[in-house]
């Protein structure tokens, strides 16, 4: 395989990390919490589509929509039931709750689907793109790059140009002042969880199509990687999550190709540590200003 | 009937009682000031009015309607705009976006544009800097933005929390001038200040606050000649 091949597959993996990282970073920005159950939403999205196709014989399009709806609702419900009652609790309690939710989702998946991996049939029907003898790009890769680019553009426009988007920015900066403007903070937090979970569903479906296997732990590693990506880019920063995700995907793939498959994850962590030493707030992270 | 009336409110931070039974009122068209030293409870009172802190007991009424159970985000559309202590403008958003957020609950586009041009008239500097990010404004400009943002909701009453804080005397005079003009345009004002001298000059009535209690009240001019007030708040 050529360098270009590794680069392109790294780009598609990275754009999936970016989608997941967006959920982490937006929820962090608005609710000031690390939602460690976010990665498991990916797995729920994957299993929903898997079930819709294999048990209900839904078309891929309907299955995808079902997966997105299930994850969106699940994300909002998790926030309402598990996190909202802890709005004024210490961040440690919230973190432990998030880890608890993560285990709950994984164990429910174990209970329903068992512990062995299932074969996921790709939802992408596009043919591979043969550029020359060495360079073949799979349909999944092309679709992933197109879909994630479109989502990232749409999300950037939504946040910076629309009224609810600006309300989100206001809440992430100063909840009290946002309330004085008439912004409903609880509603804004719900919308943020909904968007983050919908993005995780899309990421899960694309991921399972690229690597056509699924089990209860499918979301774990991508979740951790996306978390690294969000911190790398600057937690709370939307463009940061995009850059962090794509960088991480490319670094991971190139490390696997040219250095060592076993060391690839260690290299990703090393990059994170080096970036944080040079710039503790991440690539695009702002100075953390604590408000009293 | 008073526009805003506060009736025997008690407010706690945990077990500490910060406001120990306070009553006062603001009539339509007035400038009323609450003066008091640092820590007296001025900010707490304004936060209680706009729902950011719930009172333990007592009644807050706007034109006879009880607000005590109203969530903070529903207060502004009832006609109360709050210019918080320390300005709290949205630092990463533009001046224009900050102003539009002030009109977040309004639906009438024409009305919003009308208010916006009035705000730009009162604060020409905000118009010049409308595309600038708010975090890069000077302290005085941020105070103007916070006031402009509050006016964007077309309020009946504006609550101002220490607008003079950290500003040069020249700027303070300019800000107080604007407060007077805002009031003349028909907006009732409740002004909280440590700068008692300036506040008593523009207010019609005043309340003096000491550790969570009102210890004196009356006509602003009269209070400014009162010996006790002079000694405690006007530097002799
Ligand atoms: N968030 C808080 N938690 C605990 N105590 C507070 C808090 N905010 C204010 N206080 C206390 O309440 C009292 C009144 O404070 P505040 O309303 O800020 O006074 P002022 O605005 O007049 O300076 C002070 O004793 C202050 O220490
Ligand atoms: Mg104060």
């Amino acid at each position: 395989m050529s360098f270009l091949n590794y680069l392109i597959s790294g780009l598609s993996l990275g754009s999936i990390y970016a989608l997941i990282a967006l959920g982490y970073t937006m929820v962090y920005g608005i609710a000031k919490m690390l939602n460690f159950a976010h990665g498991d939403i990916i797995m729920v999205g994957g299993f929903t589509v898997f079930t819709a196709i294999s048990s209900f014989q839904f078309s891929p399009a309907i299955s995808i929509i079902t997966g997105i709806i299930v994850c969106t609702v699940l994300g909002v419900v998790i926030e309402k039931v598990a996190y909202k009652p802890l709005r004024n609790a210490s961040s440690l309690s919230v973190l432990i709750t998030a880890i608890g939710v993560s285990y709950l989702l994984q164990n429910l998946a174990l209970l329903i689907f068992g512990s062995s991996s299932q074969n996921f049939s790709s939802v992408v029907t596009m043919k591979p793109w043969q550029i020359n003898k060495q360079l073949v790009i799979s349909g999944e890769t092309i679709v992933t790059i197109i879909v994630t680019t479109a989502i990232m553009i749409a999300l950037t426009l939504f946040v910076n140009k629309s009224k609810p988007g600006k309300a989100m920015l206001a809440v992430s900066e100063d909840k009290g002042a946002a309330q004085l403007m008439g912004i409903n903070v609880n509603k804004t937090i719900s919308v943020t969880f909904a968007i983050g979970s919908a993005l995780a569903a899309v990421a899960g479906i694309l991921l399972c199509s690229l690597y056509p296997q699924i089990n209860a732990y499918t979301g774990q590693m991508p979740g951790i990687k996306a978390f690294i990506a969000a911190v790398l880019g600057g937690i709370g920063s939307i463009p940061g999550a995009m850059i962090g995700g794509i960088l991480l995907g490319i670094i991971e793939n190139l490390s696997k190709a040219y250095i060592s498959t076993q060391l690839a994850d260690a290299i990703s962590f090393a990059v994170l540590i080096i970036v944080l030493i040079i710039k503790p707030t991440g690539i695009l992270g702002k100075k953390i200003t604590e408000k009293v | 009937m008073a526009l805003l009336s506060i009736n025997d409110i008690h407010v706690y931070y945990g077990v500490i009682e910060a406001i120990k039974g306070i009553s006062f009122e603001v009539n339509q068209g007035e400038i009323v000031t609450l003066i008091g030293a640092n820590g007296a409870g001025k900010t707490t009172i304004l936060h209680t009015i706009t729902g950011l802190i719930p009172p333990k007991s007592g009644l807050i009424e706007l034109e006879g309607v009880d607000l005590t159970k109203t969530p903070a985000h529903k207060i502004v559309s009832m006609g109360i705009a709050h210019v918080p202590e320390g300005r709290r403008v949205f630092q990463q958003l533009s001046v224009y976006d900050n102003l539009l957020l002030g009109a977040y609950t309004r639906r009438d586009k024409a009305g919003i544009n009308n208010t916006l041009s009035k705000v730009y008239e009162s604060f020409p500097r905000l118009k010049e800097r409308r595309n600038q990010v708010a975090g890069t404004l000077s302290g005085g400009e941020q105070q103007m933005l916070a006031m402009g943002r509050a006016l964007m909701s077309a309020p009946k009453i504006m609550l101002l929390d220490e607008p003079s804080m950290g500003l040069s005397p020249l700027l303070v005079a300019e800000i107080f001038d604007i407060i007077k003009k805002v009031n003349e345009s028909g907006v009732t004002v409740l002004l909280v200040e440590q700068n008692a001298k300036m506040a008593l000059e523009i207010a019609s009535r005043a309340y003096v606050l000491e550790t969570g209690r009102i210890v004196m009240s009356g006509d602003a001019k009269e209070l400014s000649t009162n010996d006790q007030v002079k000694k405690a708040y006007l530097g002799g």
Side-chain angles (χ1 to χ4, degrees):
Chain A
M1 284 231 288
S2 70
F3 173 75
L4 213 53
N5 248 324
Y6 291 121
L7 191 67
I8 291 169
S9 59
L11 184 64
S12 77
L13 178 65
S15 44
I16 292 177
Y17 288 162
L19 279 192
I20 310 164
L22 280 167
Y24 266 118
T25 225
M26 287 171 77
V27 163
Y28 180 83
I30 300 284
K32 301 287 178 273
M33 67 163 288
L34 294 172
N35 177 18
F36 267 110
H38 187 60
D40 301 293
I41 303 284
I42 300 165
M43 173 272 294
V44 173
F47 267 126
T48 308
V49 172
F50 171 80
T51 310
I53 292 175
S54 62
S55 306
F56 294 95
Q57 277 82 42
F58 284 179
S59 73
I62 301 289
S63 306
I64 291 168
I65 293 169
T66 311
I68 293 173
I69 292 173
V70 166
C71 288
T72 306
V73 172
L74 180 66
V76 173
V77 169
I78 288 174
E79 193 278 322
K80 282 259 182 302
V81 174
Y83 304 148
K84 194 178 166 196
L86 300 176
R87 208 52 70 67
N88 297 317
S90 76
S91 48
L92 190 62
S93 323
V94 181
L95 188 67
I96 290 167
T97 306
I99 292 171
V101 172
S102 169
Y103 278 122
L104 177 71
L105 293 177
Q106 287 175 11
N107 284 301
L108 281 176
L110 280 176
L111 204 66
I112 301 170
F113 298 100
S115 56
S116 54
S117 287
Q118 316 268 352
N119 289 322
F120 188 94
S121 58
S122 170
V123 295
V124 177
T125 49
M126 199 175 148
K127 294 225 157 52
W129 194 21
Q130 176 103 39
I131 293 170
N132 58 37
K133 267 228 170 69
Q134 275 87 44
L135 189 56
V136 184
I137 307 173
S138 73
E140 282 80 4
T141 304
I142 297 167
V143 168
T144 299
I145 292 171
I146 293 172
V147 167
T148 52
T149 307
I151 288 177
M152 287 192 257
I153 291 171
L155 188 70
T156 305
L157 289 177
F158 169 76
V159 170
N160 294 304
K161 301 284 176 218
S162 77
K163 195 169 156 178
K166 285 175 190 171
M168 280 170 94
L169 292 177
V171 170
S172 78
E173 208 182 302
D174 186 335
K175 282 195 185 57
Q179 282 175 290
L180 295 180
M181 303 301 110
I183 298 166
N184 183 337
V185 169
N186 283 332
K187 208 171 107 192
T188 307
I189 291 176
S190 287
V191 170
T192 308
F193 269 84
I195 293 174
S197 307
L199 297 183
V202 174
I205 297 163
L206 291 170
L207 196 71
C208 293
S209 295
L210 275 170
Y211 308 94
Q213 292 258 310
I214 185 165
N215 63 45
Y217 305 108
T218 290
Q220 219 171 30
M221 222 33 209
I224 292 171
K225 297 281 177 54
F227 173 63
I228 297 176
V231 176
L232 187 68
I235 189 108
S237 161
I238 287 174
M242 297 176 186
I243 292 171
I246 289 168
L247 263 182
L248 200 71
I250 291 172
I251 290 169
E252 186 183 319
N253 247 27
L254 294 183
S255 312
K256 275 186 183 150
Y258 296 108
I259 303 172
S260 143
T261 314
Q262 281 84 30
L263 280 181
D265 289 345
I267 291 168
S268 301
F269 278 103
V271 169
L272 174 73
I273 291 166
I274 291 166
V275 168
L276 291 186
I277 288 171
I278 299 167
K279 199 160 180 293
T281 52
I283 297 168
L284 292 183
K286 290 192 196 64
K287 227 177 37 223
I288 297 155
T289 45
E290 287 290 331
K291 288 219 170 58
V292 185
Chain B
M1 182 177 60
L3 177 63
L4 179 69
S5 85
I6 313 298
N7 205 331
D8 195 26
I9 54 166
H10 294 254
V11 186
Y12 286 75
Y13 290 110
V15 294
I16 296 162
E17 188 176 22
I19 301 298
K20 303 160 183 165
I22 276 185
S23 304
F24 65 93
E25 49 185 49
V26 185
N27 297 310
Q28 174 70 41
E30 280 188 307
I31 299 183
V32 169
T33 184
L34 284 176
I35 57 175
N38 192 14
K42 305 181 296 296
T43 299
T44 305
I45 292 178
L46 296 194
H47 281 183
T48 310
I49 295 172
T50 39
L52 293 174
I53 309 170
K56 187 144 219 172
S57 64
L59 208 59
I60 299 165
E61 289 176 318
L62 183 75
E63 297 176 312
V65 179
D66 180 17
L67 297 182
T68 353
K69 298 278 174 308
T70 310
H73 69 270
K74 292 204 170 134
I75 297 287
V76 65
S77 55
M78 302 183 78
I80 303 180
H82 185 163
V83 183
E85 183 175 77
R87 352 282 189 212
R88 290 167 77 170
V89 296
F90 300 110
Q91 306 271 328
Q92 26 164 346
L93 298 179
S94 69
V95 167
Y96 176 76
D97 283 343
N98 268 277
L99 291 173
L100 281 197
L101 280 171
Y104 182 80
T105 57
R106 292 176 68 181
R107 294 280 172 269
D108 54 325
K109 243 190 144 143
I112 294 172
N113 283 330
N114 190 18
T115 314
L116 184 65
S117 49
K118 274 195 226 154
V119 167
Y120 279 153
E121 234 170 81
S122 314
F123 305 96
R125 243 179 297 175
L126 293 184
K127 188 175 185 184
E128 280 164 34
R129 297 174 185 259
R130 62 184 177 278
N131 295 319
Q132 198 171 318
V133 173
T136 62
L137 297 177
S138 71
E141 287 162 352
Q142 292 199 14
Q143 184 60 46
M144 291 178 190
L145 179 55
M147 288 166 65
R149 185 180 68 175
L151 290 171
M152 285 302 292
S153 66
K156 292 174 185 151
I157 180 167
M158 181 154 88
L159 317 181
L160 286 149
D161 197 341
E162 306 221 28
S164 73
M165 191 195 266
L167 302 184
S168 70
L170 210 67
L171 265 172
V172 173
E174 194 180 336
I175 296 284
F176 273 71
D177 235 33
I178 296 169
I179 297 172
K180 253 195 292 193
K181 289 209 184 94
V182 164
N183 176 249
E184 280 156 14
S185 76
V187 181
T188 305
V189 172
L190 174 59
L191 170 66
V192 151
E193 265 297 345
Q194 270 191 72
N195 188 339
K197 188 169 177 300
M198 293 293 288
L200 290 173
E201 259 172 44
I202 67 164
S204 49
R205 290 189 305 113
Y207 295 87
V208 181
L209 206 63
E210 247 170 49
T211 55
R213 284 201 178 86
I214 288 172
V215 291
M216 247 185 288
S217 65
D219 182 88
K221 297 281 156 319
E222 273 167 32
L223 275 176
S224 63
T225 57
N226 176 297
D227 281 343
Q228 246 176 300
V229 173
K230 266 176 152 171
K231 214 162 146 196
Y233 302 104
L234 302 173

